[in-house]
Amino acid sequence: MGEAERLQMVENEPIGNSAWRTQVRGWIEADYPNLLQSGYRLTSPDTIDYNCMAWALEDKSKWWWPDEMEQQYWPPNIKREESLKAFIQVFESLGYKVCETASLEVGFQKVALYADSNRRPTHAARQLDSGIWTSKLGSEEDIEHHELEGLVGEKYGQVAAILKKFIP
C-alpha cells in the first residue's frame, strides 16, 4: 500500500480528532506492525462492551470468551475452553462451516480465527461485503484491515481457521 493510499484511509476515519487518531494509531502499529504494510483504518473508539468474538458474530452487547470463572458469555452447549475446536464449534452452531480460502465469496459471510503457536485462539475477524476485514482489538478500537496478515504476529499469532456461512 502506497503512502498516498494510507493517508487517504486515515483521512476517512470516522472517529476522533487528528491528535487522538495519531496517538491510537501509534499504539496499534506498535502491537500490529504488519498493518502499516497492509493498510487499516479506525472505525470506532475503544469499549469494554464487546470483544473480537462478539464483533465477528455481530453482537455488540456482550463479551464472548470461555473464561474459567464464567464471567463472560459462552454458549452453554459448547465446552468452555480456549481451544480452536471449541471456537470453531461456536461458529458451526451458528451456521458457519470451515472453508479453505479467505477470498470474498458473494452470498457468504466469512470469519477468520487466529491462534498462537499452541493453537490457542487469540482473535476473530469478520469479512465485510467489500472483502475488507473488520476486527475489534480486545477492549480497544474496531478497525477495518485489507488483509488478514495485517494482524499476524506476536500478539495474535497466525490465521488458524477460516469459516463461512451462507447469507440469503
Side-chain angles (χ1 to χ4, degrees), residues 138-154:
S139 62
E140 302 303 324
E141 290 73 18
D142 300 339
I143 64 167
E144 289 179 359
H145 47 106
H146 288 282
E147 300 173 14
L148 292 173
E149 290 73 21
L151 295 178
V152 167
E154 188 175 321

Side-chain angles (χ1 to χ4, degrees), residues 103-109 129 166-167:
S103 300
L104 180 65
E105 291 182 57
V106 176
F108 289 92
Q109 182 169 66
D129 293 341
F166 177 72
I167 45 175

Side-chain angles (χ1 to χ4, degrees), residues 63-105:
W63 194 282
W64 289 56
W65 205 259
D67 60 307
E68 291 178 11
M69 300 296 290
E70 299 186 19
Q71 299 294 309
Q72 312 304 332
Y73 176 76
W74 196 248
N77 56 332
I78 308 295
K79 189 170 185 178
R80 187 177 278 274
E81 65 181 17
E82 289 185 0
S83 71
L84 197 53
K85 180 180 178 182
F87 278 60
I88 289 171
Q89 287 174 341
V90 168
F91 284 95
E92 287 176 337
S93 74
L94 297 167
Y96 287 84
K97 298 200 180 308
V98 174
C99 66
E100 295 298 315
T101 177
S103 300
L104 180 65
E105 291 182 57

Side-chain angles (χ1 to χ4, degrees), residues 2-100:
E3 184 62 19
E5 190 177 0
R6 188 171 105 59
L7 288 173
Q8 178 68 26
M9 287 184 74
V10 172
E11 290 172 8
N12 288 331
E13 289 174 333
I15 58 170
N17 62 41
S18 179
W20 177 84
R21 285 193 306 264
T22 298
Q23 184 174 24
V24 169
R25 289 179 73 81
W27 295 330
I28 289 172
E29 291 164 10
D31 284 342
Y32 313 99
N34 292 341
L35 286 173
L36 283 169
Q37 298 301 313
S38 62
Y40 75 102
R41 73 183 195 116
L42 299 167
T43 56
S44 77
D46 62 338
T47 178
I48 60 169
D49 293 341
Y50 59 94
N51 65 343
C52 63
M53 277 291 288
W55 184 245
L57 293 165
E58 300 183 83
D59 178 359
K60 292 171 50 174
S61 69
K62 56 188 161 291
W63 194 282
W64 289 56
W65 205 259
D67 60 307
E68 291 178 11
M69 300 296 290
E70 299 186 19
Q71 299 294 309
Q72 312 304 332
Y73 176 76
W74 196 248
N77 56 332
I78 308 295
K79 189 170 185 178
R80 187 177 278 274
E81 65 181 17
E82 289 185 0
S83 71
L84 197 53
K85 180 180 178 182
F87 278 60
I88 289 171
Q89 287 174 341
V90 168
F91 284 95
E92 287 176 337
S93 74
L94 297 167
Y96 287 84
K97 298 200 180 308
V98 174
C99 66
E100 295 298 315

